[in-house]
Amino acid sequence: MKRVRKAVFPVAGLGTRFLPATKAIPKEMLTVVDRPVIQYVVDEAREAGIEHFIFVTGRNKAVIEDHFDVQFELYDTLAQRGKDDQLARLQRLQPAPGQTSFTRQQVPMGLGHAVWCARELVGDEPFALLLPDMIMQSEKSCMKDMVELYAETGNNIIAVQECDPAEAHKYGIVGRGEDTHHGFRITGMVEKPKLGTAPSNLFINGRYILQPEIFGILESQERGAGNEIQLTDAMLKLEKQQPFYGYHYRGRTFDCGSPEGFVEANVAFALWRNDMNESMAGVIRTLLDEVRPAERREAAS
């Protein structure tokens, strides 16, 4: 059984929900507290033992490549000014030479197409797929637990979380079979099921470990919802050939692809930090007391 050494990050999206902020800045480079969103996702992969980080990019995304490169002038300036702690932190986050690869998704044809664009860099081995809009908060990374489950099963792994059953029609949902190791067998997958028809309330939260046979399926995959090549459609075909297992993640997940989720992530990660918790908690309490939407202010007056 081959080890999971590589991770794919599809970062070609335009981020239209964050305009005008994303007119010149990739949405993946928007910061949650003091780190870009993409840094959180790469750190999660690194904690899981990933050695090769593959980014599927688009136009105007070169700043992502720059972020993971060495910046000699900055490092030299920090060293000269004696800011050793900041320098050491940046160096810890720096991938080693040869650990990052970048390829282009020239046309916006969906997640399945973005994954297929990484086929030559992944090669004939299992790989992790992490959607950069989704960042996790837990003591142990979601992907690390998934890699451990993969070592026990040797098959495809999908991370899932519980949602309100009334909200299941908004997500990709899996069917839950028998428990195995510290996961469970997936009995089916459906993308945004009709209200009341979902096989469970376990939604796919943006973390996968997939076998390389998915590339052959994606190569001839017909366009699906949104006239795009859908990863879920390809996984359904692969499921007929190989088992899929679910990992039930119980930490917090923030959808930084939406303004509400992005703001929530900033608040949650600020409160999680020892150096910011007390001050931010006080600020939040004050804002809740003093800042009210316009319609509430008008009603009060």
Side-chain angles (χ1 to χ4, degrees):
M1 183 175 63
K2 295 181 179 179
R3 189 165 63 88
V4 181
R5 302 187 309 111
K6 299 180 179 180
V8 173
F9 306 89
V11 294
L14 296 176
T16 54
R17 285 186 285 181
F18 283 92
L19 287 171
T22 50
K23 184 178 178 181
I25 301 172
K27 63 177 181 176
E28 297 83 8
M29 291 300 296
L30 298 177
T31 56
V32 171
V33 186
D34 57 0
R35 282 191 290 169
V37 168
I38 187 62
Q39 185 70 62
Y40 287 90
V41 186
V42 169
D43 289 347
E44 179 185 341
R46 182 186 284 113
E47 184 182 337
I50 298 297
E51 301 169 355
H52 189 177
F53 310 101
I54 301 167
F55 299 86
V56 182
T57 71
R59 287 180 292 277
N60 300 321
K61 298 280 185 168
V63 67
I64 296 176
E65 189 169 352
D66 292 340
H67 174 73
F68 290 103
D69 200 358
V70 175
Q71 297 188 17
F72 294 102
E73 296 84 356
L74 174 61
Y75 289 5
D76 183 62
T77 298
L78 292 174
Q80 290 186 27
R81 294 179 179 178
K83 297 187 177 182
D84 297 333
D85 290 343
Q86 289 179 304
L87 178 58
R89 184 186 179 201
L90 288 177
Q91 291 174 331
R92 284 195 303 269
L93 297 176
Q94 179 73 51
Q99 279 194 317
T100 57
S101 296
F102 297 82
T103 188
R104 283 285 185 100
Q105 182 187 19
Q106 286 93 342
V107 288
M109 291 175 57
L111 175 59
H113 182 259
V115 173
W116 181 75
C117 289
R119 66 198 181 281
E120 297 295 338
L121 293 168
V122 172
D124 187 25
E125 57 184 287
F127 64 98
L129 171 64
L130 299 91
L131 304 192
D133 284 348
M134 313 299 284
I135 64 173
M136 314 297 202
Q137 187 184 67
S138 56
E139 294 297 333
K140 185 179 180 182
S141 85
C142 177
M143 183 53 64
K144 186 171 184 178
D145 269 336
M146 292 175 67
V147 167
E148 291 175 2
L149 179 58
Y150 170 80
E152 297 168 350
T153 64
N155 283 291
N156 304 280
I157 311 291
I158 300 176
V160 298
Q161 287 181 252
E162 294 181 7
C163 68
D164 184 336
E167 302 289 310
H169 64 284
K170 299 179 179 179
Y171 304 100
I173 302 292
V174 304
R176 178 166 190 153
E178 72 276 8
D179 291 340
T180 176
H181 304 285
H182 67 286
F184 62 91
R185 184 72 178 265
I186 289 177
T187 58
M189 290 173 272
V190 57
E191 187 69 30
K192 296 182 179 179
K194 292 182 180 179
L195 196 62
T197 66
S200 74
N201 69 328
L202 296 174
F203 74 94
I204 300 172
N205 71 2
R207 299 292 186 268
Y208 312 77
I209 294 175
L210 298 172
Q211 294 293 327
E213 287 78 11
I214 195 75
F215 293 122
I217 296 173
L218 288 168
E219 187 168 6
S220 57
Q221 178 68 45
E222 297 178 354
R223 297 194 185 203
N227 198 33
E228 296 179 336
I229 296 175
Q230 297 293 335
L231 180 65
T232 303
D233 294 340
M235 291 194 300
L236 285 169
K237 291 182 179 179
L238 185 59
E239 185 189 22
K240 296 177 181 178
Q241 307 168 20
Q242 301 176 355
F244 273 74
Y245 292 88
Y247 165 65
H248 191 171
Y249 175 67
R250 290 178 169 82
R252 294 187 179 92
T253 298
F254 305 97
D255 181 3
C256 290
S258 71
E260 296 85 358
F262 177 73
V263 172
E264 182 184 3
N266 269 279
V267 172
F269 277 92
L271 291 174
W272 219 36
R273 287 177 46 157
N274 291 332
D275 62 332
M276 299 181 71
N277 176 277
E278 187 174 345
S279 61
M280 286 305 303
V283 168
I284 291 168
R285 283 192 291 267
T286 299
L287 290 173
L288 288 172
D289 290 339
E290 297 181 358
V291 179
R292 293 173 293 176
E295 60 270 20
R296 288 177 56 193
R297 292 197 299 269
E298 292 171 0
S301 62

